[in-house]
Amino acid sequence: MSHTRSALSRLTRSRARLGAAALTVALVATVSACGSDSSTDEPKAAAATSAESLVVEDPWVRGTDGAKDATMSAAFMVLDNEGDEELTLTGASTDVARSVEIHEMAVVDGKSVMRELDGGLVLSPGKGQLLQPGGFHLMLMGLTGPLRAGDEVTLTLELADGSTTEVTAPVKAFTEEEEHYHAPGTGDHEH
Ligand SMILES: [Cu+2]
């Protein structure tokens, strides 16, 4: 009992200091509560959606001025999977085209042709893929109008887990890249 009382009296004497100490304790408690919150969130972060793991850089869309076929164009960009799990780009959509397909270049009968990529574009964790003229690209088909340098095109990229990510891509003038993009003699591609 006397022990308790003396403890109490010490408590009273040092009330001012204790008040400060209590405040400090409360702050520490708040901080550690936040800390424990974020540690409970960690499993959620590890299971991030594909859209959260996908980093898109340098997107651009080829303009239609000077194109042989102004009903279609293509979008190019750098895709990076910065997540811990494989992700798959399954498609895309945009207001400026009726449909969008993921295309790859392939050699058929000695000719370089483009064709739709089966099963989408798979990115391993930590890996990237360059979409560029002459290689992988997003084919914009059934354009609703001409695409001019300086315009901006919004593309919605669709991923296998159902998540999506929006990309704003500037339109760049159509240049000699035509010959890389439609390899000579392959003006008629498979769509
Ligand atoms: Cu194509």
Side-chain angles (χ1 to χ4, degrees):
M1 269 325 211
S2 70
H3 176 78
T4 307
R5 203 185 305 128
S6 89
L8 270 173
S9 84
R10 263 207 311 275
L11 210 93
T12 311
R13 276 200 310 272
S14 56
R15 182 188 283 169
R17 218 179 47 190
L18 237 150
L23 186 64
T24 307
V25 167
L27 283 173
V28 168
T30 309
V31 168
S32 65
C34 288
S36 68
D37 272 358
S38 61
S39 66
T40 7
D41 282 347
E42 268 167 33
K44 223 190 283 171
T49 64
S50 294
E52 286 166 339
S53 299
L54 180 65
V55 175
V56 180
E57 283 173 3
D58 300 331
W60 65 281
V61 172
R62 200 199 59 196
T64 52
D65 285 350
K68 278 186 217 155
D69 183 348
T71 67
M72 58 179 67
S73 184
F76 309 101
M77 63 198 71
V78 183
L79 299 175
D80 273 309
N81 179 2
E82 299 203 342
D84 299 324
E85 289 169 32
E86 183 179 276
L87 68 80
T88 306
L89 177 69
T90 53
S93 62
T94 174
D95 285 349
V96 305
R98 199 183 65 245
S99 63
V100 180
E101 288 182 359
I102 306 168
H103 281 191
E104 64 176 342
M105 300 302 294
V107 176
V108 175
D109 297 332
K111 283 185 191 170
S112 181
V113 296
M114 61 174 162
R115 65 184 182 197
E116 191 168 10
L117 184 61
D118 276 341
L121 183 57
V122 180
L123 296 179
S124 303
K127 292 290 194 301
Q129 178 64 57
L130 183 60
L131 309 192
Q132 63 180 342
F136 290 106
H137 56 275
L138 298 181
M139 198 79 204
L140 277 49
M141 291 176 293
L143 294 180
T144 55
L147 298 175
R148 303 228 152 87
D151 288 353
E152 282 193 337
V153 171
T154 302
L155 292 156
T156 303
L157 305 185
E158 296 153 7
L159 299 146
D161 70 347
S163 61
T164 60
T165 193
E166 279 207 351
V167 175
T168 303
V171 173
K172 293 189 181 177
F174 179 75
T175 63
E176 69 278 3
E177 276 153 357
E178 163 81 346
E179 292 312 314
H180 297 284
Y181 169 71
H182 282 170
T186 60
D188 296 319
H189 42 68
E190 304 176 346
H191 41 69

